[in-house]
Amino acid sequence: MNDHKFCFIICANKENYLNECVWYIDKLHLPEGYEKETIVVRDAVSMASGYNQAMKQSDAKYKIYLHQDVLIVNTNLFSDLLELFQDPTIGMAGVVGRKELLASAKYTENWDAGAVAACNVSDAFFLSWPFEEGEKWNDVVAVDGMFMATQYDLSWDEEDFDGWDFYDISQSITFQQAGYRIVVPGIEREEDVWIFHDAGHCEYDDWEKYRKVFCEKYASSGHSYTETKPDINRAEREKKRQMVMSAFEAGDLERTCRLLEQLETGETDDIMSYVGLFIFVWDGEMTLLGNTNLSVNKFGEFIDQFNEVKFMLRRIYFGWQDEAWPVLREKLRSGQITMRMLWFVMCSSIVGFTRVWWEIYALYQKEIRIFFQEGDILKAENLLQQQDNVHLGKYENIMKVLIQVFRREVEKGVTLTVFDVFQDFDEAVTHFIRLKLYLRRIEFGLSEPYQREAYEYFIQTHVSDYLILQILKANIFYKVDFCNNMAQLFAREEGEGSMRAGLYAQLAELEKSKGEEDE
């Protein structure tokens, strides 16, 4: 037995979840003089069987039995386990457990110790239970199988528990009968959790079957089996889900939404959650962009994309922005995803997503500037359109307006567009703000020196009438006065017959007529 070795043991059938699980394992701080290994068991006939197989392959003293959808976010896990296992009476550690025996063995429904951050596809949450003040560890009688660390090798009961339920509770009893304690860490804050469990919705198809096996086997420990009322609604639940899928596959998203809303608590599964998220993203993109790459016929691709984005966002949340953002950046640049999708993925898969959103938003703003500096106005515009005006910052909203003006200037063959004059994002925005202030001076009829200063700025920066008219439309209140003052300014500076003087005189009459009609 190697006393300076850790071994992770994982039964897996989903490579994308497994790869993410291992990625977090590789980020753990390994104490000097220690080594680690990971054994993955594929095609296991049961959890207990797979664990026995791997346990016999490793000479590591410390073994961590882990679900493939668990992310270890406590980078000091090894040090914490070494500290814990200095006590030879402690044989096993989990993250979530039960303090006292439950005669019914319904432990999964009644945990009362430890803490975990988790996600069920459409919602992320943090669970923790009170613990003894001043105590670092809570003694428990059973732990959840998502994470089970041991310092002794005891065989898993693969004969009685030949499926995927109660193997963890059985192994907990095995350790107790061998005279060892079982503990979970006492945690109050989400930041201190050991793991994030991307669990999804659990159906527990054979859970009742194995609960009976467990109670009968451990009756001498105080367990007794009383049959739970049969699930008479299972067929009806499946029928409802099939109706949702039929409407969805037919492309009737409105009917799909109505049917989803009719599902009651406990009737939603992973697929139903993904369908709902698909519709949220589809609607968000259609509303803002008028188009979407999402297709009902490529629902499986949406799920894969959703999960990959979810993994990257979580990496950012847990502190690895530099290793996650390049992946998301490339997806945004290539049009595989939008900011709308990022938003919905974030809301559904991260507990405290607000901080991550602002990190992403800062990177998003930087990306817009990069496109602008590269002269790729269309890509900058595409990114800007992926956020509604409420969620955009002041500068980004101004840039959306400037791009609209730029398009109009190009369409009308203006010699120098706003982006020919200002090729830096912040300078262009500052120009807009300064121009707006000059135009407001004219709106309120300030004296000629102020108006002349404004005129000189128009000439110096090649301000087009399309830009002035955009500001007139959105930011000028006294439109008739403004247009009359502009007409007088251009007549004074360029002559009574100047084209611009005539333009604003006509606009003054038009605005006056509109005002009279409104009255």
Side-chain angles (χ1 to χ4, degrees), residues 311-313 315-316 320-329:
F311 293 153
M312 293 305 110
L313 289 173
R315 290 185 186 184
I316 292 174
W320 289 288
Q321 183 188 103
D322 292 344
E323 298 183 54
W325 173 245
V327 177
L328 296 177
R329 180 176 185 264

Side-chain angles (χ1 to χ4, degrees), residues 450-476:
Y450 288 111
Q451 294 192 24
R452 177 161 184 79
E453 181 184 341
Y455 174 78
E456 290 175 350
Y457 185 76
F458 300 161
I459 302 305
Q460 174 191 345
T461 58
H462 300 276
V463 173
S464 73
D465 291 307
Y466 301 106
L467 179 51
I468 293 175
L469 293 177
Q470 180 64 43
I471 295 175
L472 166 64
K473 177 182 177 182
N475 302 104
I476 300 298

Side-chain angles (χ1 to χ4, degrees), residues 95-96 114-118 125-129 146 193-197:
V95 291
V96 169
V116 64
F125 45 90
F126 169 60
L127 296 175
S128 67
W129 292 269
M146 67 179 90
V193 295
W194 281 16
I195 70 165
F196 187 101
H197 190 197

Side-chain angles (χ1 to χ4, degrees), residues 99 112-114 128-132 138 187:
K99 296 177 183 177
D112 64 0
S128 67
W129 292 269
F131 59 95
E132 295 295 329
N138 285 309
I187 291 173

Side-chain angles (χ1 to χ4, degrees), residues 139-280:
D139 279 273
V140 293
V141 298
V143 293
D144 188 287
M146 67 179 90
F147 176 100
M148 303 173 75
T150 66
Q151 68 168 327
Y152 305 109
D153 288 347
L154 301 180
S155 294
W156 298 74
D157 185 353
E158 61 182 284
E159 291 186 10
D160 293 315
F161 300 97
D162 54 359
W164 310 97
D165 297 294
F166 274 89
Y167 66 91
D168 46 0
I169 314 301
S170 169
Q171 190 69 350
S172 298
I173 298 296
T174 298
F175 266 78
Q176 288 181 75
Q177 290 180 340
Y180 298 117
R181 292 166 56 203
I182 305 170
V183 300
V184 297
I187 291 173
E188 282 187 304
R189 305 186 309 158
E190 180 198 344
E191 304 92 289
D192 299 327
V193 295
W194 281 16
I195 70 165
F196 187 101
H197 190 197
D198 200 346
H201 297 274
C202 299
E203 290 294 302
Y204 298 116
D205 291 338
D206 295 320
W207 187 79
E208 187 67 17
K209 166 188 169 182
Y210 287 108
R211 186 172 75 87
K212 181 178 180 181
V213 171
F214 179 89
C215 287
E216 292 176 349
K217 177 167 184 174
Y218 297 107
S220 61
S221 299
H223 296 93
S224 60
Y225 179 75
T226 300
E227 185 176 2
T228 301
K229 185 178 179 180
D231 184 4
I232 59 175
N233 296 320
R234 183 167 183 171
E236 182 65 22
R237 186 165 63 242
E238 289 300 323
K239 181 181 178 182
K240 287 183 179 181
R241 292 174 182 171
Q242 187 53 52
M243 288 174 64
V244 172
M245 287 308 299
S246 295
F248 180 68
E249 290 169 354
D252 190 343
L253 300 187
E254 185 175 341
R255 175 172 166 76
T256 303
C257 278
R258 290 199 305 269
L259 292 171
L260 281 172
E261 289 171 357
Q262 292 171 16
L263 294 179
E264 298 178 4
T265 303
E267 293 184 332
T268 299
D269 63 4
D270 286 0
I271 295 300
M272 295 297 99
S273 294
Y274 281 120
V275 168
L277 291 165
F278 177 97
I279 293 174
F280 277 131

Side-chain angles (χ1 to χ4, degrees), residues 376-391:
D376 201 331
I377 305 300
L378 295 182
K379 285 187 177 179
E381 181 183 34
N382 180 266
L383 267 187
L384 283 167
Q385 289 175 337
Q386 292 177 23
Q387 288 292 97
D388 56 43
N389 293 345
V390 174
H391 289 94

Side-chain angles (χ1 to χ4, degrees), residues 78-118:
F78 295 135
S79 297
D80 287 341
L81 288 177
L82 287 175
E83 177 188 350
L84 168 68
F85 287 138
Q86 285 180 2
D87 185 340
T89 68
I90 297 177
M92 179 191 293
V95 291
V96 169
R98 174 76 188 183
K99 296 177 183 177
E100 297 178 350
L101 180 143
L102 275 176
S104 66
K106 295 183 179 181
Y107 293 99
T108 306
E109 302 172 352
N110 293 282
W111 301 123
D112 64 0
V116 64

